Amino acid sequence: MGNITLHTLTALKQAGKKFAVLTAYDACFSHLISTAGVEVMLVGDSLGMVLQGNDSTLPVTVEEMAYHTAAVKAGNQGSMIMADLPFMSYGTPEQAMDSAAALMSAGAHIIKLEGAAWLDETITLLAERGVPVCAHLGLTPQAVNVLGGYKVQGRENNAAKQMIEDAVRLEQAGAAMLLLECVPSLLAGEITKAVDIPVIGIGAGAETDAQVLVMHDMLGITPGRSPKFVKNFMTDSGDIAGAFEAYADEVKAGTFPGTEHGFE
């Protein structure tokens, strides 16, 4: 696969080819995922829930994110590593610089922030200093208490229009990628066409340039009920490595997600 860069992913979008993203938190799984055809590994603050057992991502610290990013780097075989800046670690541009520096030093190639147009200045400053940014729109788990729970975002016309405007504005500010979570499939498709940068989806239909899932979800080992947008890839795979390969293959073939995994 070779070393994946932003240029690689932008070229895939321009060619109409899809790419796969999957969360990773340690060296062992990093090795398996990065050799299975998955272009991007996300060191997600989801570790607060799937590794630490918290009921949200909010308790995760920058130090914990840096620790897991370094572990993922140790096992990586050429995938791009994206790392989340955790809750309240980028409240000001100055704080964002310090937090991003910690994750980039640990091995991240790009960092991810949750939020809309208020991030403009922060994204511009980070990009100018050599820190690529993925902006996360839609359901932003760090804002779960403001959003009133884990709900689909952008269903109302005004909200949909605002999300498209935010996406364009964030690209203009210097965002290198976007991630849309729990957004109606049609809206996600419109946003993907409205920007030139790659768009990753989770619960956002099949029209985005890429898909991401939490590793534990797609292996079927997360306790409780799975979200609608999740598929268990272990069901038809003989082992974990096979499940990762099947996920990457289905994303690139456009067979995952199906209509049953999206929202109207």
Side-chain angles (χ1 to χ4, degrees):
M1 190 166 67
N3 288 338
I4 301 298
T5 66
L6 283 173
H7 178 77
T8 311
L9 303 180
T10 302
L12 287 172
K13 172 168 182 144
Q14 292 170 346
K17 296 181 179 179
K18 298 184 183 294
F19 62 92
V21 186
L22 197 57
T23 65
Y25 313 97
D26 64 29
C28 184
F29 280 108
S30 169
H31 188 279
L32 284 177
I33 292 169
S34 61
T35 54
V38 175
E39 282 83 359
V40 181
M41 293 188 292
L42 169 62
V43 187
D45 58 2
S46 49
L47 67 87
M49 301 169 82
V50 297
L51 296 188
Q52 298 175 340
N54 297 313
D55 60 3
S56 75
T57 64
L58 303 190
V60 179
T61 66
V62 172
E63 291 74 22
E64 289 167 343
M65 290 302 306
Y67 172 90
H68 286 280
T69 299
V72 168
K73 178 189 176 184
N76 185 28
Q77 302 299 306
S79 295
M80 175 180 281
I81 298 174
M82 182 188 299
D84 278 337
L85 286 190
F87 179 65
M88 289 302 290
S89 68
Y90 49 100
T92 65
E94 294 75 20
Q95 187 186 26
M97 302 298 156
D98 291 341
S99 301
L103 298 193
M104 295 293 282
S105 296
H109 302 117
I110 180 170
I111 57 98
K112 181 164 72 66
L113 306 173
E114 295 183 9
W118 63 271
L119 282 170
D120 279 7
E121 180 188 1
T122 297
I123 289 173
T124 300
L125 290 171
L126 286 169
E128 287 173 348
R129 286 154 181 79
V131 180
V133 176
C134 176
H136 184 150
L137 295 170
L139 171 59
T140 47
Q142 291 177 14
V144 63
N145 291 311
V146 174
L147 297 175
Y150 297 97
K151 301 175 180 178
V152 177
Q153 302 296 308
R155 277 183 163 148
E156 301 79 22
N157 286 338
N158 286 344
K161 182 181 177 184
Q162 185 63 56
M163 201 178 299
I164 295 171
E165 291 176 1
D166 286 342
V168 171
R169 188 166 161 182
L170 291 169
E171 179 183 28
Q172 292 170 343
M177 275 196 271
L178 295 177
L179 187 147
L180 304 177
E181 180 170 356
C182 290
V183 171
S185 300
L186 285 175
L187 174 58
E190 288 182 42
I191 292 173
T192 302
K193 292 183 179 75
V195 297
D196 293 325
I197 55 178
V199 178
I200 303 165
I202 178 167
E207 298 304 311
T208 54
D209 302 306
Q211 299 293 327
V212 62
L213 285 178
V214 171
M215 179 189 77
H216 295 68
D217 289 347
M218 58 81 70
L219 292 177
I221 57 175
T222 305
R225 185 173 164 225
S226 291
K228 178 183 180 182
F229 52 78
V230 171
K231 175 178 175 179
N232 183 345
F233 284 86
M234 277 294 286
T235 304
D236 298 318
S237 301
D239 56 22
I240 290 173
F244 293 155
E245 290 170 6
Y247 168 69
D249 290 345
E250 289 192 27
V251 168
K252 293 172 192 182
T255 55
F256 176 81
T259 53
E260 70 273 20
H261 300 114
F263 300 98
E264 295 182 358

